[in-house]
Amino acid sequence: DTGVSQDPRHKITKRGQNVTFRCDPISEHNRLYWYRQTLGQGPEFLTYFQNEAQLEKSRLLSDRFSAERPKGSFSTLEIQRTEQGDSAMYLCASSLPLRGSRPYEQYFGPGTRLTVT
Amino acid sequence: GENVEQHPSTLSVQEGDSAVIKCTYSDSASNYFPWYKQELGKGPQLIIDIRSNVGEKKDQRIAVTLNKTAKHFSLHITETQPEDSAVYFCAATYTGANSKLTFGKGITLSVRP
């Protein structure tokens, strides 16, 4: 297992365009989290899934954002009608292995850096 | 909700010296406190964590201490090396719910060779 992967690593888009990011969690991790990180700040929680169910969304997640996790495996985060304020690093993390002694540890992927011009 | 504050914002030490990074949290329900190291262009890497039923935990050159009464926890790095230079984040959460992490703003540690 190679850890959490995210694709693409970088995305440059023009204001008003739609973008979609993908996250592949560590296999058998049934919790998946999305965070957003802006320059000089710590990651901020956006939303999380337990298996395929999206159980919580932050106030930061406006109506232009939507996330899915079909079949409880990979997840996608879509931003519609992007704005310059959406420019940030979007991080994915997974946790809670079905078996094991460390159920709370969240492991992060490398992130997708979004630049909206 | 939880609020995590981290200070100082930058720290510079000489190689071989110790570094201490302190964080405070606001929610007494928080019971899990991880520390992450983030290098430029990479995602945060979990380096050590502590649960509220433990006061101290050590892993080679790094250790974390927790004071539940004062609601603060600290990361200690001994015998610092240039490769320890990075941004370090503390975080807190209550594991009985969604376990979403609330992060501090991070501290940039520079280890001078």
Side-chain angles (χ1 to χ4, degrees):
Chain A
D1 185 25
T2 57
V4 179
S5 61
Q6 293 186 245
D7 183 71
R9 295 292 308 277
H10 303 274
K11 179 71 177 178
I12 299 174
T13 191
K14 292 186 177 180
R15 185 165 52 94
Q17 298 294 305
N18 299 344
V19 294
T20 300
F21 311 140
R22 177 180 170 125
C23 169
D24 286 89
I26 295 172
S27 59
E28 298 188 345
H29 276 196
N30 58 5
R31 281 191 178 183
L32 186 148
Y33 299 80
W34 285 98
Y35 292 84
R36 181 170 69 187
Q37 184 178 27
T38 53
L39 202 61
Q41 301 295 318
E44 293 177 290
F45 169 78
L46 291 178
T47 188
Y48 98 104
F49 293 83
Q50 173 110 8
N51 299 314
E52 66 275 10
Q54 186 175 17
L55 297 184
E56 184 170 344
K57 293 191 287 187
S58 162
R59 302 175 292 182
L60 295 174
L61 216 64
S62 75
D63 292 343
R64 297 184 296 105
F65 288 70
S66 62
E68 295 182 341
R69 192 182 182 198
K71 301 179 182 178
S73 56
F74 71 92
S75 176
T76 58
L77 178 67
E78 180 183 17
I79 309 174
Q80 296 183 326
R81 305 181 302 281
T82 52
E83 302 173 355
Q84 287 188 323
D86 297 331
S87 295
M89 174 81 88
Y90 290 84
L91 293 162
C92 175
S94 70
S95 76
L96 198 59
L98 295 177
R99 295 171 294 277
S101 59
R102 298 182 173 182
Y104 308 121
E105 297 176 354
Q106 290 187 27
Y107 295 93
F108 283 80
T112 294
R113 180 164 296 285
L114 173 66
T115 303
V116 182
T117 61
Chain B
E2 176 65 274
N3 181 50
V4 176
E5 294 192 353
Q6 191 168 353
H7 48 90
S9 59
T10 61
L11 180 62
S12 180
V13 298
Q14 192 71 37
E15 181 178 0
D17 287 352
S18 296
V20 180
I21 303 169
K22 300 178 181 179
C23 286
T24 59
Y25 63 99
S26 63
D27 189 348
S28 57
S30 289
N31 61 353
Y32 175 67
F33 307 90
W35 284 88
Y36 287 85
K37 175 184 180 182
Q38 188 173 30
E39 297 174 328
L40 200 60
K42 297 184 178 180
Q45 176 194 1
L46 179 64
I47 56 172
I48 196 168
D49 56 14
I50 192 167
R51 296 183 61 184
S52 59
N53 59 350
V54 176
E56 183 174 357
K57 183 177 177 181
K58 189 173 182 180
D59 183 5
Q60 298 183 355
R61 294 187 299 109
I62 59 174
V64 58
T65 58
L66 171 66
N67 183 326
K68 287 188 295 182
T69 303
K71 296 202 195 74
H72 66 70
F73 55 116
S74 301
L75 177 71
H76 304 252
I77 306 174
T78 58
E79 300 171 16
T80 53
Q81 302 166 4
E83 50 266 37
D84 293 330
S85 296
V87 180
Y88 290 81
F89 293 96
C90 59
T93 189
Y94 170 60
T95 58
N98 55 31
S99 297
K100 64 181 180 184
L101 295 172
T102 300
F103 285 83
K105 290 188 175 182
I107 173 176
T108 301
L109 174 65
S110 300
V111 180
R112 305 186 302 273

